[in-house]
């Protein structure tokens, strides 16, 4: 056996780097972006303001915010070559696969803005501005619609909703999505941010780093959980069936999506805020079906496993009430987390150290070439 020291499976509790972007207090259930509590940001800020905060390290002045909004608005139009690439993708593709491929394709046409030392911030803003349009272009095509021209006067949240559902959101809907975008914008060294930083740490470009991140977010143990929560709710259907379905799931040692977290040992503060928004949107729509199911689900899972909800439990219910299909939930997560991923890549470029851990080798070392094991 080669390599000494303890193996930290899943890198659990390993402090891999220093960062000034995001702090999670898993015991108190607090989440801080650049010094500001997520609860204050969710109550008083906007996604654009939070993106600025993550990228530049401080809140924008009114003039800086106006400038960023204007810049993002000018970057909303999908370049022709990218549009053609998206239009060639199969309509049956998962939107996360489409997004991953589109980000990668964009990296071919926009490489000058993306490297370390260059103005990678330009690439960060271009990607942030474009993701809703990329998703909208694909989604409208697969549902038989024509691409929409993004309206520059809309907030980022309203533009995202319009791109996905083809209509302007109500004020409450736009604010619900704005809050969801704020809450998902960063989360310290989560798997997808880490993947982005690993890629950036090789001096690779921003688009490659974000491509890695999108692929990592897709997994159901990470961003893909919100889609699975809705599948579970569709399977449960009525409040009186929650207990039976959950118990059967746990008996089969299956995971209940939307619960548990590697870092939070109490309720994820993002879940607390989204629970409230899920109720508010449900009340506006006069449809509390999902909200009631989720409340009961929380009770049963906590009683049976002592687990608390994470950010993915309530987000899907909010998106569903807006008429957004389930397979666009993780892409919405990406449309927000792009701010955090790119902030991490920018930070990595500032303090670059190739990320390259080591493995304890547990295979054989003394095989003789030509032996039966080698000839197989
Ligand atoms: N449902 C049922 N049991 C669970 C769940 C769950 N959601 N989460 C953890 N457990 C159980 C495990 O089975 C394990 O029990 P055991 O010791 O009896 O085997 C114990 O709790 C510890 O689980 P671990 O997997 O070691 O905890 P870890 O820190 O690795 O898990 C994770 C974190 C992956 C998020 C896990 O809680 C999970 O799979 N949750 C469901 C998926 C999900 O909601 N992901 C979204 C996370 S938030 C985000 O990425 C945006």
């Amino acid at each position: 056996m080669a390599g000494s020291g303890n193996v930290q499976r899943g890198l659990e509790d390993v402090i891999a780097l220093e960062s000034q972007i995001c702090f999670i207090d898993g015991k108190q259930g607090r989440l801080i972006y650049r010094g500001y509590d997520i609860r204050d940001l969710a109550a008083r800020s906007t996604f654009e303001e939070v993106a600025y905060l993550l990228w530049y390290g401080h809140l924008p002045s009114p003039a800086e915010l106006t400038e960023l909004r204007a810049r993002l608005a000018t970057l909303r139009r999908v370049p022709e070559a990218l549009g053609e690439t998206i239009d060639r993708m199969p309509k049956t593709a998962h939107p996360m696969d489409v997004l991953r491929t589109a980000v990668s394709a964009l990296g071919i046409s926009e490489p000058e803005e993306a490297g370390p030392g260059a103005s990678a911030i330009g690439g960060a803003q271009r990607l942030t501005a474009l993701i809703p349009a990329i998703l909208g272009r694909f989604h409208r095509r697969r549902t038989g619609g024509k691409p929409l021209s993004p309206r520059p006067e809309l907030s980022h949240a309203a533009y995202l909703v319009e791109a996905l559902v083809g209509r302007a959101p109500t004020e409450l809907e736009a604010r619900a999505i704005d809050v969801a975008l704020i809450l998902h914008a960063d989360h310290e060294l989560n798997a997808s941010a880490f993947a982005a930083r690993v890629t950036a740490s090789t001096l690779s470009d921003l688009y490659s780093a974000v491509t890695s991140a999108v692929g990592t977010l897709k997994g159901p143990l990470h961003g893909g959980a919100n889609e699975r929560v809705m599948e579970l709710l569709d399977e449960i259907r009525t409040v009186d069936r929650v207990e039976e379905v959950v118990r059967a799931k746990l008996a089969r040692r299956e995971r209940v999506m939307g619960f548990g977290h590697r870092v939070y040992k109490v309720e994820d503060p993002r879940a607390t805020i989204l629970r409230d928004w899920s109720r508010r949107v449900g009340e506006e729509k006069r449809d509390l079906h999902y909200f009631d199911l989720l409340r009961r689900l929380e009770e049963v899972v906590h009683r049976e496993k002592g687990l608390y909800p994470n950010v993915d439990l309530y987000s899907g219910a909010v998106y569903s009430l807006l008429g957004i299909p389930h397979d666009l939930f993780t892409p919405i997560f990406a449309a927000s987390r792009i701010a955090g991923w790119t902030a991490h890549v920018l930070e990595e470029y500032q303090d670059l150290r190739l990320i390259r851990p080591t493995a304890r080798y547990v295979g054989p070392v003394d095989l003789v070439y030509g032996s039966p094991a080698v000839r197989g």
Side-chain angles (χ1 to χ4, degrees):
M1 194 155 62
S4 57
N6 292 329
V7 175
Q8 294 289 23
R9 290 188 68 238
L11 300 184
E12 189 163 351
D13 296 329
V14 171
I15 299 172
L17 49 89
E18 287 189 337
S19 175
Q20 296 187 1
I21 301 172
C22 181
F23 170 61
I24 306 172
D25 182 339
K27 289 200 186 96
Q28 303 285 332
R30 285 189 80 201
L31 172 59
I32 310 281
Y33 295 165
R34 302 256 191 210
Y36 296 95
D37 194 299
I38 193 74
R39 286 173 289 218
D40 291 335
L41 294 172
R44 298 171 55 196
S45 181
T46 60
F47 173 71
E48 291 91 327
E49 199 177 20
V50 164
Y52 188 103
L53 174 68
L54 294 172
W55 289 327
Y56 295 99
H58 60 90
L59 284 171
S61 66
E64 286 166 334
L65 185 57
T66 304
E67 196 185 320
L68 177 67
R69 283 204 173 117
R71 181 161 167 70
L72 291 176
T74 61
L75 293 171
R76 285 177 184 171
R77 188 166 289 281
V78 175
E80 212 176 299
L82 179 63
E84 284 165 13
T85 304
I86 296 168
D87 291 347
R88 277 199 299 274
M89 294 187 200
K91 289 180 183 169
T92 51
H94 193 286
M96 280 300 275
D97 293 331
V98 172
L99 181 60
R100 190 194 57 233
T101 309
V103 170
S104 181
L106 197 61
I108 297 172
S109 53
E110 312 288 342
E112 78 287 356
E113 283 188 338
S119 67
I121 186 78
Q125 293 175 357
R126 181 182 299 282
L127 279 168
T128 303
L130 265 180
I131 287 177
I134 292 170
L135 298 172
R137 173 117 182 186
F138 172 70
H139 179 58
R140 288 187 63 78
R141 186 175 146 265
R142 72 175 175 169
T143 51
K146 293 232 173 319
L148 281 183
S149 291
R151 289 194 287 147
E153 66 273 23
L154 295 182
S155 70
H156 195 76
Y159 148 59
L160 173 65
V161 178
E162 189 164 289
L164 299 185
V165 298
R167 62 167 176 86
T170 66
E171 211 173 298
L172 188 95
E173 287 176 329
R175 184 60 191 153
I177 295 299
D178 203 16
V179 170
L181 293 177
I182 292 168
L183 297 177
H184 287 86
D186 195 54
H187 211 229
E188 200 225 46
L189 212 49
N190 57 89
S192 53
F194 188 58
R197 288 190 81 131
V198 169
T199 305
S201 84
T202 70
L203 280 178
S204 189
D205 65 281
L206 180 100
Y207 292 93
S208 299
V210 173
T211 305
S212 303
V214 176
T216 308
L217 184 72
K218 185 186 165 195
L221 294 188
H222 192 7
N226 54 10
E227 199 179 326
R228 306 297 168 94
V229 169
M230 298 313 288
E231 284 167 15
L232 177 63
L233 297 190
D234 288 344
E235 179 192 338
I236 294 174
R237 292 192 309 275
T238 52
V239 173
D240 60 320
R241 279 179 30 84
V242 171
E243 177 113 25
E244 169 197 339
V245 175
V246 169
R247 277 166 165 273
K249 235 179 168 14
L250 294 176
R252 294 191 299 268
R253 301 192 65 78
E254 286 174 18
R255 293 190 174 217
V256 188
M257 295 292 148
F259 289 90
H261 199 276
R262 177 64 65 82
V263 183
Y264 294 115
K265 303 304 166 208
V266 293
E267 179 165 295
D268 180 335
R270 300 167 301 175
T272 316
I273 298 167
L274 280 173
R275 181 191 294 116
D276 188 43
W277 276 98
S278 150
R279 180 188 52 74
R280 288 164 81 166
V281 176
E283 281 169 358
E284 186 182 74
K285 307 270 172 210
R286 297 178 191 279
D287 180 358
L288 289 166
H289 170 67
Y290 286 135
F291 182 76
D292 292 340
L293 283 178
L294 287 166
R295 291 299 284 158
R296 180 74 186 132
L297 190 61
E298 275 194 64
E299 274 170 29
V300 175
V301 172
H302 190 259
R303 190 193 64 214
E304 294 292 318
K305 291 290 286 188
L307 290 166
Y308 293 97
N310 61 48
V311 68
D312 281 322
L313 189 68
Y314 280 94
S315 57
V318 173
Y319 306 153
S320 277
L321 284 166
L322 267 68
I324 300 172
H326 296 181
D327 65 358
L328 287 168
F329 295 174
T330 315
I332 295 176
F333 194 151
S336 159
R337 188 56 63 84
I338 184 66
W341 289 332
T342 49
H344 278 278
V345 171
L346 295 171
E347 189 177 65
E348 189 62 39
Y349 287 157
Q350 295 290 314
D351 184 23
L352 199 127
R353 172 84 181 151
L354 175 72
I355 299 174
R356 200 291 188 199
T358 194
R360 176 182 291 165
Y361 178 66
V362 293
V365 286
D366 292 325
L367 298 182
V368 177
Y369 182 73
S371 69
V374 172
R375 282 202 308 269

